Amino acid sequence: MRQAAELCPDVFLMIIRMPRLAGLDRLLRLASARGAEALYLLSNARPAIRVDGAMSALEGEAPLGPQDVESLMLDVWPDRGSDPLSEGTEWICDIPDVGRVRCLAFTDQRGPGGIFRMIPGLETAEFARLGG
């Protein structure tokens, strides 16, 4: 692997950085596995989580540029015909292995951002058993 980095440093860096852009669902699963109540994406900052009221950056994640944040948000944006970042928009989505997530998209002085709150509740199978 060292030889690849020496021969093509730009390609090597791109390959290493690709996993952080694998999708918002990966970040949400990581946050959920750490017991997070929420995931925060802000332009020009590392993704952060809130666990038991305390905020901390996700270790091993690089800062996200405005384009990165917008791309991640569009992964779960339900209405493809509108702009989620225009005036602050909220929606709820279901993420496999995470559950329901309340999403808030906005734009501030840094650029696009999003807050993703985990909604505690019944698992889908339990809800179906109750007749829901």
Side-chain angles (χ1 to χ4, degrees), residues 9-116:
D10 294 335
V11 173
F12 183 73
L13 285 176
M14 187 174 78
I15 290 169
I16 286 179
R17 289 184 180 171
M18 283 175 66
R20 77 180 174 97
L21 298 176
L24 181 59
D25 59 335
R26 182 186 69 81
L27 290 172
L28 287 166
R29 284 186 184 116
L30 183 61
S32 179
R34 294 184 183 179
E37 301 149 7
L39 169 70
Y40 297 84
L41 301 180
L42 303 171
S43 294
N44 303 312
R46 290 178 21 199
I49 57 174
R50 186 178 73 235
V51 178
D52 296 328
M55 296 284 294
S56 63
L58 279 174
E59 293 178 25
E61 297 294 328
L64 300 170
Q67 300 84 3
D68 299 330
V69 173
E70 187 170 353
S71 174
L72 289 169
M73 303 257 298
L74 289 174
D75 281 352
V76 295
W77 176 239
D79 185 4
R80 301 291 181 207
S82 64
D83 179 12
L85 304 173
S86 58
E87 292 183 18
T89 306
E90 289 189 59
W91 71 98
I92 293 176
C93 63
D94 291 312
I95 304 293
D97 303 321
V98 173
R100 283 223 160 135
V101 178
R102 182 177 177 197
C103 310
L104 170 66
F106 60 87
T107 301
D108 64 10
Q109 68 276 11
R110 293 186 195 194
I115 301 171
F116 303 88

Side-chain angles (χ1 to χ4, degrees), residues 124 126-132:
T124 306
E126 291 175 15
F127 187 69
R129 265 197 325 245
L130 294 173

